Amino acid sequence: MQGRRCILPGASLAFVYACDPEDSLLLLGWEGHETRVSVPLRLPFAPESYCRDPLVWVAPDCLPPGTAHQRRVWHALTRIPVGETRTYGQIARAIGSSPRAVGQACRANPWPLLIPCHRVLPAGAAPDRGSAGGYAGQVAGPLVGAKQALLRHEADRKTEINGNFLPKGE
């Protein structure tokens, strides 16, 4: 099994994954919080490429095993475009659920980055001021920092594409 790590700018943890010799994904997650993949899956994009440019993100062709509710939530998350966010309440209304149940499904998401639960925020969150809510069941610590880094990374690139930002020297 070949393991790989990629560092997202501003995150204190590396995103790690491992594939078998046929390039089927076996393991993925944030360093120290990896999860085995229990269904055959080919990566829909290279995590290293995402760390350079989040616009390469595409939704996976399948969802991880879970309850019918979790899978409805995870499918809804894959519909959130890169650089955009939704609240738990918005997702809940869209699928006929409750915000708390959506949060529980986000917490149970075994495929971080592929199923973008980092794009879901509590009502009134202000990611630009360091308030983005919990991530992967934690409300403080390096995983929450990873969520904030993901949101910044995606928002910065979206702003750059919309012509509102030019890197220094251009």
Side-chain angles (χ1 to χ4, degrees), residues 14-89:
F15 187 80
V16 295
Y17 65 100
C19 295
D20 67 14
E22 288 80 42
D23 279 337
S24 290
L25 192 60
L26 299 173
L27 176 87
L28 81 155
W30 292 97
E31 198 165 42
H33 304 275
E34 304 91 344
T35 303
R36 287 221 165 265
V37 175
S38 57
V39 296
L41 173 70
R42 293 222 182 262
L43 279 171
F45 59 89
E48 294 92 344
S49 296
Y50 172 87
C51 287
R52 286 188 298 277
D53 182 358
L55 296 178
V56 304
W57 180 90
V58 294
D61 291 335
C62 62
L63 295 172
T67 67
H69 179 264
Q70 288 171 334
R71 292 173 59 85
R72 277 196 323 274
V73 170
W74 297 336
H75 177 73
L77 302 185
T78 67
R79 312 309 291 164
I80 305 171
V82 173
E84 294 184 22
T85 60
R86 302 291 184 272
T87 65
Y88 294 104

Side-chain angles (χ1 to χ4, degrees), residues 110-121:
W111 294 358
L113 205 58
L114 304 184
I115 308 293
C117 56
H118 63 276
R119 296 180 190 151
V120 184
L121 307 173

